[in-house]
Amino acid sequence: MHQWLKEINGIGDWSASFIMLRGIGRMERLPIGEKMLKKEIHSLYGKTADVSKISDFYGGHVGYWAHYLRAATLFEI
């Protein structure tokens, strides 16, 4: 489905990931190209962290991990 979305004129990788996560509720992909997510991963795990190794732990729920990682920064005191 991700590839099908990207074939729509004007939909790139980021948009397809966004639609998959928020629009359809498909949480099995990690939107690794997202700048805010990269920033939060580096902040929490360090700049040299192996993101694919860390994200593998979450399996088919990796999208939830990414979503909550981004959302957590909204609630930091």
Side-chain angles (χ1 to χ4, degrees), residues 44-59:
L44 185 61
Y45 296 100
K47 291 196 181 278
T48 60
D50 184 349
V51 176
S52 76
K53 185 176 180 179
I54 296 166
S55 65
D56 282 349
F57 175 78
Y58 297 94

Side-chain angles (χ1 to χ4, degrees), residues 9-76:
N9 189 25
I11 302 291
D13 196 44
W14 185 90
S15 297
S17 293
F18 186 83
I19 292 167
M20 294 285 291
L21 287 169
R22 304 262 168 75
I24 303 173
R26 301 288 303 264
M27 304 301 268
E28 66 273 1
R29 284 185 67 121
L30 181 64
I32 195 61
E34 191 176 300
K35 290 179 185 178
M36 181 57 109
L37 178 60
K38 283 183 180 180
K39 178 183 171 200
E40 295 311 318
I41 289 171
H42 289 151
S43 173
L44 185 61
Y45 296 100
K47 291 196 181 278
T48 60
D50 184 349
V51 176
S52 76
K53 185 176 180 179
I54 296 166
S55 65
D56 282 349
F57 175 78
Y58 297 94
H61 304 289
V62 71
Y64 286 107
W65 170 70
H67 173 73
Y68 289 118
L69 185 59
R70 287 186 310 266
T73 62
L74 300 173
F75 300 102
E76 289 180 3

